[in-house]
Structures are given as C-alpha cells and as structure tokens.
Amino acid sequence: MDVGVLALQGDVSEHRAILSSLGATVVELRSARDVARVDALVLPGGESTAMSVLLRASDLVDPLRERIAAGVPTLGTCAGMILLAEEVLDGRPDQVRLAAVDITVRRNAFGRQVNSFEADLDATALGADGLDTAPIHAVFIRAPGVVRVGPSVEVLATLAPRPGVTAPEPVLLRQGSVVVAAFHPELVGERRVHQLVLGALRQAASA
Amino acid sequence: MLRGGVIMDVVTAEQAKIAEDAGAVAVMALERVPADIRAEGGVARMSAPELIEAIKAAVTVPVMAKARIGHFVEAQVLEALGVDFVDESEVLTPADPAHHIDKWAFTVPFVCGATSLGEALRRIAEGAAMIRSKGEAGTGDVSVAVTHLRAVLGELRRLRSLDPAELPTAAKELQAPLELVREVADTGRLPVPLFCAGGIATPADAALVMQLGAEAVFVGSGIFKSGDPARRARAIVEATTQFRDPAIVAKVSHNLGEAMVGISAADAPVHLAGRGW
C-alpha cells in the first residue's frame, strides 16, 4: 500500500509515522508524477492558504481532484479538511477547493493559536468499521469548524456542546472514501482515523 | 503547523498581505526589519499594539511578534493582544542581561533563538515551543545561520553516539538539563521543531538550510529590502517546499530583481547572535 502524504507544508512527519506503524509505504507528494502512483492520499495540517499557493505552483490541483474523484481513499486533517471541503468561509477567495466532501467549513472557527484545546470525542461510530470505540483524544489547533453537513456525508464524531455552543459540532466526517477531521489525530499517535482510510483501501482491493 | 513553510517579517498591513499572497505560513509583525534596526541603532523594543492589530486584521495566517530577551511584560502584552506566537528575540535590545523569560508561565507559544544545542535545550527547558537558529539578522549573510544549524544538528549526532554513562558529563558541558539531554540522545532530534533564521535572502539560501535539516525558514529583511518583494517572497516559498529539487529552485530564482545588498556578517558592527546565553 503506497500512501501519498501531501508534503508541500505542514505536519508531514507525524502522518508518516502513523502510516508506517500501520504497515503502509509512505510517499511524500510534491509532484503530479507522485500523485499518479499512490493508492491513497493524506492531506496534512498546515496553512491552507500557503498550501493553496504551493498546490497551484506545483500543478497538483487537477491531478489530486482527478484521483479523489476516481475514488482513491483520502484523509484530510485540519488544513487538509479545508482543502477537501465543498465550501469555505473566512478563507481567501483564491484558496484551492478540491470539493470532495459536501460540507461548509469556517476557517479558524475555534479562534487563534492561544485558543487551541484538547477534548475527548465519543468514538462509538467507529465500531461499525471494526475499530476500537474508546474515546478519541483530539487536539484542535486553529481548527476549522463544520457549519453545514450535506445529506451524503456521515458524521463519525462530534465535539460535545461547550459554553456558547448548544449543539454538538461535527469534527470527524466521511463521504464515500474521503475522511476529514478538524483535529490532529497524528499529533497524539491516534491511529484509528488513518485506519478508516486504509480500511477503504483494503475494501477496494478485495472488491 | 508551520513546518515546511516560510515566516516573513512585515512592517505594515500591506506587506503582510503581500506575504500571505505569496504563501507565507505566518508573518512576524515588526516596526523595523533587522536591517533597519542595524542601520538606525538605538534601543529596539516590542512593536506598537496598533501596528500588531492592523497586521492581525489584514491576514488569516498566524501573526508572530517579538519581545525583548527577558522582558516578560512585553510578552504578557503580546499575549493580551492575541498574537499567535511570541519570538523572544536577540534582534531587539535585551531587557535582562541574566534571565530569559519563563515561558511556562504563558499560554501563547514561544520561539527562541539558539546558536548551539546547549542553548536550544536551555530555551526548551524554559518552555520554548520552537527553536530557530539565530544567524546574523539583517545582514543578508546566511553563514552564521548555517553555522548555528550545523552546530545544533552536529551536537545531536554526537550525543547519539555516546554511552549512557557519558551523558551526565555531556549535560554538564552543554549546560543543559540531564533529562533533556537523555531524551535527545535517545531520539536524535529536538523535542520541538527546529527552524532557521538570520540572513536568508535568496531561494537558494532557503533550500540550503532546509537541506541541512531546518524544518521551516524565517526571512527577515531579505524580502522587503529586495527589488521585487512579492516575486522574491513567492520564490522563497516554493524553494522552501521543493528544496530537494534543484531544477525548481533554479526555475524560481529567475528574474527576482535585486537581492538585498547586505553586509558580510564578519563586518557587521553589531553582532546580534551573541545576545542571550
């Protein structure tokens, strides 16, 4: 299993460590040639504006869009979620939208760097994929918030209501073979989010 | 998540927008870039709040600001202003000749300069969340940053080769806590990201320090003291990402206009890297 981690900017090495521990071969993606040869894609956390500039400069937007549309299992965390969203609020008008998941996200919805926080998420929904359902310890750093979820999108985990917010907020979602997380599973060694994507890959291989 | 990115010094909201347009992962809000601090002399202090606020309002990427070494109240003010990172910086005039800021006392993360592994570990012990080489800011001469980067990484390699029984003496020589020395001897890397700063002026400079092992790049005077800041900023961003691909570094290095003139670090009348300990 060759899993490509977009390596334009951001926390590439943590994703590499988790994927390697799950038995995947990691390819750092910096060119269209590399995008063409991997079996799954990971878009890491970082700055979505900087990644947008670099995606265009490296001619990666169309190759990524085509592979994702062709059903290649894909994970996006934090900035990666923003890149994969259908619609982005509080972003820059020129930022890249791969539009692979029918959600609307708001950039920096939880505030600035000093408002970063950690929370435990109920992971009952992961049981359906044969994964452990112990709570997910989630780290949110200048995280995007999901403000709209399309009908074909599955919510796998939510953030419990907090002061000023009455409804649970979706933070781990899936549409088809694309999984997006507002938090950083890679920073705390949480492997189940990556397993969701590798599971989709195995299913595709056995089908 | 700044790794693999470029953090750019800016002195106005317009410059901050140019930096964000070019793909900066963060901007450093300053009143004067280091080259001007050198030229004008005098005491260099934290930037004015209204400048920091204007820059915060202009961009969506994180905003950093500098506090003087040891000036914990400047850091408190910057935290109160909501900056995303504080740089306890030798570019400003130190406020305390003996003590750095106790960074554990803050929520806002700090980046600190270091010239050696011992200095990096002392800053980490004080709570720094990121380390950068000091380099010789405002010169456009990358040689001092290269020296610092090689010093930190070389000392890390040396520690890895030591017998565990030799680590207490290594800690004494490094003037760093034994616990941290044991940790980095085991992992072979700092427990926080290692960035490079000081004298980076061209795409090739950025790719050089990335190939040497830096995880991100600060560019101070090198962009807005050059002939075509927008183009040079973009070129340095691309070179920092594609640092292993000389063809791309070559491509983006075309037609950038004049680089900052600079001065050789050896000829600089004031050596900023010697500030802090």
Side-chain angles (χ1 to χ4, degrees):
Chain A
M1 287 184 295
D2 285 353
V3 179
V5 179
L6 188 66
L8 298 175
Q9 189 269 313
D11 56 343
V12 177
S13 54
E14 286 83 357
H15 280 287
R16 168 187 280 282
I18 294 211
L19 290 163
S20 299
S21 81
L22 291 170
T25 305
V26 176
V27 178
E28 293 194 1
L29 300 180
R30 292 192 179 84
S31 72
R33 190 181 57 234
D34 298 330
V35 172
R37 73 183 183 91
V38 295
D39 306 308
L41 296 164
V42 174
L43 279 54
E47 282 305 317
S48 61
T49 54
M51 285 190 202
S52 292
V53 167
L54 290 161
L55 281 168
R56 289 209 179 89
S58 314
D59 294 325
L60 285 171
V61 178
D62 289 336
L64 282 174
R65 207 173 260 150
E66 285 160 19
R67 294 295 321 268
I68 297 167
V72 169
T74 301
L75 169 65
T77 61
C78 198
M81 174 197 235
I82 298 172
L83 292 172
L84 289 166
E86 181 73 34
E87 191 184 2
V88 180
L89 306 178
D90 293 349
R92 289 169 53 98
D94 57 352
Q95 73 181 80
V96 167
R97 281 186 304 108
L98 297 170
V101 182
D102 185 19
I103 53 174
T104 301
V105 298
R106 185 182 299 283
R107 276 186 77 210
N108 301 336
F110 298 96
R112 304 186 71 97
Q113 189 79 27
V114 292
N115 307 113
S116 300
F117 65 100
E118 301 177 21
D120 286 327
L121 312 175
D122 184 299
T124 310
L126 299 187
D129 284 80
L131 297 171
D132 183 33
T133 55
I136 295 171
H137 188 67
V139 180
F140 294 84
I141 305 171
R142 302 176 74 250
V146 177
V147 298
R148 183 192 62 85
V149 178
S152 48
V153 179
E154 190 185 351
V155 175
L156 298 174
T158 59
L159 190 60
R162 55 203 167 92
V165 183
T166 49
E169 294 161 277
V171 291
L172 177 64
L173 308 97
R174 173 165 62 187
Q175 179 173 356
S177 55
V178 182
V179 175
V180 288
F183 55 94
H184 290 276
E186 72 283 2
L187 291 186
V188 291
E190 168 59 63
R191 291 154 34 124
R192 286 170 289 173
V193 176
H194 293 73
Q195 281 174 308
L196 287 172
V197 177
L198 297 182
L201 185 55
R202 279 192 206 93
Q203 251 177 4
S206 62
Chain B
M1 286 307 141
L2 306 171
R3 276 182 297 171
V6 182
I7 300 133
M8 300 183 192
D9 280 5
V10 298
V11 300
T12 63
E14 292 70 42
Q15 288 187 357
K17 286 204 86 71
I18 292 171
E20 187 182 55
D21 288 346
V25 289
V27 295
M28 177 78 73
L30 286 168
E31 271 173 11
R32 296 180 286 173
V33 293
D36 289 334
I37 291 174
R38 281 183 180 282
E40 292 164 23
V43 174
R45 309 180 179 90
M46 175 188 82
S47 297
E50 60 273 18
L51 176 78
I52 292 167
E53 281 163 353
I55 288 170
K56 265 178 63 192
V59 293
T60 63
V61 294
V63 176
M64 300 189 180
K66 290 186 194 291
R68 283 179 267 178
I69 289 174
H71 205 316
F72 53 87
V73 174
E74 282 190 349
Q76 289 168 2
V77 171
L78 293 174
E79 184 172 63
L81 288 169
V83 305
D84 296 293
F85 300 88
V86 173
D87 182 7
E88 186 182 18
S89 177
E90 69 285 357
V91 169
L92 305 184
T93 311
D96 188 327
H99 307 96
H100 281 255
I101 296 171
D102 171 19
K103 292 163 275 286
W104 295 115
F106 291 80
T107 305
V108 65
F110 279 73
V111 57
C112 287
T115 62
S116 65
L117 179 60
E119 197 174 354
L121 295 179
R122 289 194 289 281
R123 295 295 85 77
I124 293 165
E126 293 159 2
M130 289 177 282
I131 294 295
R132 57 171 172 77
S133 67
K134 284 184 176 171
E136 201 55 63
T139 60
D141 179 349
V142 78
S143 65
V144 181
V146 166
T147 304
H148 297 163
L149 205 52
R150 281 200 185 274
V152 172
L153 295 167
E155 288 167 50
L156 279 171
R157 283 192 293 272
R158 189 185 76 87
L159 273 190
R160 283 211 92 171
S161 70
L162 294 185
D163 182 90
E166 296 168 335
L167 292 176
T169 302
K172 190 186 85 178
E173 287 163 2
L174 289 166
Q175 298 181 50
L178 176 57
E179 203 176 309
L180 271 177
V181 170
R182 284 201 173 114
E183 181 184 339
V184 301
D186 179 45
T187 63
R189 52 179 303 158
L190 294 181
V192 304
L194 174 62
F195 295 172
C196 187
I200 293 162
T202 68
D205 287 349
L208 169 69
V209 300
M210 290 297 287
Q211 283 200 29
L212 283 171
E215 295 178 87
V217 171
F218 285 81
V219 186
S221 320
I223 289 173
F224 289 101
K225 284 288 169 188
S226 75
D228 188 345
R231 205 175 158 101
R232 181 167 295 267
R234 170 69 178 268
I236 291 177
V237 166
E238 281 192 58
T240 300
T241 290
Q242 304 285 1
F243 66 93
R244 288 198 195 93
D245 190 335
I248 294 181
V249 178
K251 190 181 92 183
V252 302
S253 298
H254 281 79
N255 303 317
L256 296 183
E258 278 184 48
M260 70 178 284
V261 177
I263 48 170
S264 155
D267 296 337
V270 180
H271 291 283
L272 302 177
R275 295 172 169 178
W277 32 92

